[in-house]
Amino acid sequence: MFYFFVALVGLLPFFTFASPTPVDYITNTMASSTDENVGNKLVFCHFMMGIVSNRESAGDYDDDMKRARDAGIDAFALNIGTDSYSDTQLYYAYESAANNGMKVFISFDFNWWQASQGSEVGAKIAQYASHPGQLMVDGKVFVSSFTGDGVDVDAIRSAAGSEIFFAPNFHPGQGDFDKIDGALSWMGWDSNGHNRAPTDGQKVTVEDSDEAYNDALQGKPYIAPISPWFSTHYGPEVSYSKNWVFPSDLLWYDRWREILRLSPRFVEIITWNDYGESHYIGPLSSPHTDDGASKWVMDMPHNGWLDMAKPFIAAYKAGSRLPVRFIEEEKLVYWYRPTPKDVDCDATDTTMQGSSSNAEGEFSRGRPDGADTMKDEVFVVTMLKMPALVRVQSGDKSETYIAPPGVWSHSVPMGVGAQSFKVTRGFRTVQALSGTSLRDVVDTCVCGIYNFNAYVGTLPAEASVDQLQPAGLTMLSEGLQVTPQINTLG
């Protein structure tokens, strides 16, 4: 062991790595725990109910519940519209939560619910308020929303029939913050302030949104957003065409570090299963229907992002800024886009075909709006108990660096070809943390489209390949100009 550290010291002049800052060694005391979550820090994860109409029993939710629970997630925020199947699926989700030691709560999506429906919202809350799977916070039924500024909060409380902890996605300067118990920010990505990627002179950071919400809340609990990615690429083959990215790259890692510093009462991960916007951390195999997202989701697992979050979630709940204390298993998590951003797919891309009926201005043709904010790099997060040398081979480009103990990020230039990783200690290869990704970087247009989603891998590698099920592939060919090869990872 001593020889290994001497060897590393000898190598230091040739390699660089980010050193822990003094703030990383500051810790706080753990919040007290009660059955009613009084004062507890809690982690939620947004769950899209609009794509799970094909689930047939509570058992179809069990794997999601167990995965989330084991990662330290306390509750799913069940995003519901006004679909006819909502009650059936809510019942299944609540039952599964109760059966698996998880909690859930309703998040009303005001893209579908109307601000005039306060009484109807309250009545829906009342249906599930006493269910054992319902999340209770400070002795009250927890409820949230997506948007909803202007809804009659008094009407909701009156119809709910019990005390509620109402923490909606109201916006500062729009919603009435005097009548709510807390608030959720949805802005988990830097933007231009108008739902697009930042541009020169127009940049609103996630931290800017944190500050605006905390100012509006005046000490009330804040639900801080955290998201790993954002890329969407619907063409005219659907009525909800939209085509843009937000700068993502190392967002997942960097935001978790911010969460540990900010230490809000609540955190909400965006999302478990919104495949359409590429910010899912749940498995591809989770039962769901296809809304056309399979074109950029097929063979693009994100499970490694959930693995990476585990020590951060534990540190956040403990009031610590040291995720190294909560590493249970050493891992290497890596991600990258499947193609360099300058690959030209205009000839076959779905967004170049026909015309869009989207009246909200969310559609652009060809390469996604904001694509230039993404870097052509391979992103690596090491979760180590001891330091090690890491060699990344990306196509014909390679880099070796020292990864210190703890959870640390690094990035290397992306090269076309195979992506391989090698971890060594004391001149011996750590086999479990070394290997080659199942997905190469290519300079061609997979499925004929621009794909700015991320492929996420882990070492040790998963025992089986996470793949979309048949129901998640039904719209794969719609709008494509080439014949796709289905489930190419094996």
Side-chain angles (χ1 to χ4, degrees), residues 309-331:
K310 290 180 182 180
F312 282 104
I313 290 173
Y316 157 75
K317 290 184 176 182
S320 171
R321 296 187 183 182
L322 288 174
V324 64
R325 293 182 174 179
F326 304 93
I327 295 173
E328 295 180 353
E329 177 187 4
E330 291 194 312
K331 284 183 180 289

Side-chain angles (χ1 to χ4, degrees), residues 20 25 253 257 308 311-312 321-327 329-332 381-388 403-409 425:
Y25 298 102
Y253 173 84
R257 298 299 292 265
M308 197 209 88
F312 282 104
R321 296 187 183 182
L322 288 174
V324 64
R325 293 182 174 179
F326 304 93
I327 295 173
E329 177 187 4
E330 291 194 312
K331 284 183 180 289
L332 185 150
V381 169
T382 48
M383 303 159 61
L384 303 177
K385 298 179 181 180
M386 297 169 52
V407 186
W408 295 102
S409 69
R425 284 192 178 116

Side-chain angles (χ1 to χ4, degrees), residues 197-218:
T199 58
D200 291 341
Q202 283 190 304
K203 183 175 183 178
V204 179
T205 67
V206 181
E207 297 97 310
D208 291 335
S209 296
D210 291 337
E211 184 176 351
Y213 269 86
N214 280 315
D215 286 347
L217 284 164
Q218 293 294 299

Side-chain angles (χ1 to χ4, degrees), residues 284-298:
L284 301 179
S285 57
S286 183
H288 67 278
T289 57
D290 186 13
D291 61 0
S294 56
K295 296 172 181 60
W296 57 89
V297 170
M298 183 181 67

